[in-house]
Amino acid sequence: LGKVGWDMLKDLRADAAESTELRESLAKTLIYLSETQGNIGEGNTVGNYKAGLQRAREAVDLLSTAPPEKLPAKQLQSLALAKRMVVTSIRGLGRYDEAVLGLKEIEPLLSRLERFPEFTQWARSERLANLANAGFFLILAGRPHEGLEDYVQPVLRSEWAL
C-alpha cells in the first residue's frame, strides 16, 4: 500500500508544475511523510531520518517555485515547515552544525511571515523555538557554552519568556 501511494505521489508530481494548488497539496503530504519518517516525536520510535530528509527536501523543492518574497503567506508557512523538517531530520542524523545552519535559513521566512496578521503569533513562536533548538543542537554537538550563551539565554531573557 505504501509503495502504491508513493508511486501515485510521484505521478502527481509530474503534473504539479502547472498547478499551485496541487504543488501545495503534494508538499503538505511530503511534509507529513517527513514528520512520520524523520521525527521520533511523531509516533515513530526509531526514526528513518534519511527518508524524512528526502521527503522534506522534495517538499522544499515543490514550494520553491518563486522567491520567498513573492510567495503567498500560506505557501511561505508551508516552506518554513518543510525546511524545519529538513532540520529535524538532519539533527536526527547527528549533523548538529548543519541543523543550526538550517535553522538560520528559516529565519528570513519567519520574519516575513510576521508581517501577516494571521501568522504573526505562529512565526514569533517558531523563531523563539528555533533559537532554543539551535542552542540545544550546539549542546549536543559538545559546545554547551556556545549553545547556552548564544541561543538559550537570549530566549530566556526575551520578552516572550517573561
Side-chain angles (χ1 to χ4, degrees), residues 53-152:
L53 178 57
Q54 184 176 347
R55 298 295 91 76
R57 285 183 170 157
E58 290 170 4
V60 169
D61 288 345
L62 278 172
L63 294 164
S64 298
T65 57
E69 56 275 2
K70 302 231 186 226
L71 295 177
K74 189 68 181 148
Q75 190 173 346
L76 193 60
Q77 182 190 37
S78 293
L79 180 59
L81 289 169
K83 285 184 176 248
R84 182 179 70 194
M85 286 313 306
V86 167
V87 168
T88 298
S89 295
I90 288 171
R91 183 246 5 215
L93 292 168
R95 295 166 21 199
Y96 304 118
D97 289 315
E98 189 178 343
V100 171
L101 292 175
L103 289 172
K104 289 178 181 180
E105 287 180 17
I106 299 170
E107 176 60 27
L109 304 177
L110 297 175
S111 179
R112 183 153 183 78
L113 272 169
E114 279 190 47
R115 300 176 192 162
F116 298 94
E118 66 271 29
F119 293 102
T120 301
Q121 189 58 45
W122 179 84
R124 286 181 182 162
S125 294
E126 286 292 307
R127 289 174 84 188
L128 287 166
N130 285 351
L131 285 172
N133 283 332
F136 178 61
F137 297 165
L138 289 173
I139 290 167
L140 292 174
R143 300 195 316 270
H145 183 72
E146 181 182 351
L148 291 169
E149 289 287 323
D150 294 349
Y151 294 99
V152 176

Side-chain angles (χ1 to χ4, degrees), residues 8-70:
M8 192 168 77
L9 279 176
K10 287 195 294 188
D11 289 343
L12 287 171
R13 276 193 75 178
D15 299 327
E18 299 168 18
S19 171
T20 302
E21 289 177 4
L22 180 57
R23 271 194 316 276
E24 177 78 17
S25 293
L26 287 172
K28 285 181 181 181
T29 302
L30 290 166
I31 292 167
Y32 175 76
L33 284 171
S34 177
E35 287 175 336
T36 58
Q37 292 174 322
N39 184 353
I40 59 172
E42 291 293 325
N44 182 351
T45 58
V46 292
N48 184 346
Y49 303 113
K50 288 181 182 179
L53 178 57
Q54 184 176 347
R55 298 295 91 76
R57 285 183 170 157
E58 290 170 4
V60 169
D61 288 345
L62 278 172
L63 294 164
S64 298
T65 57
E69 56 275 2
K70 302 231 186 226

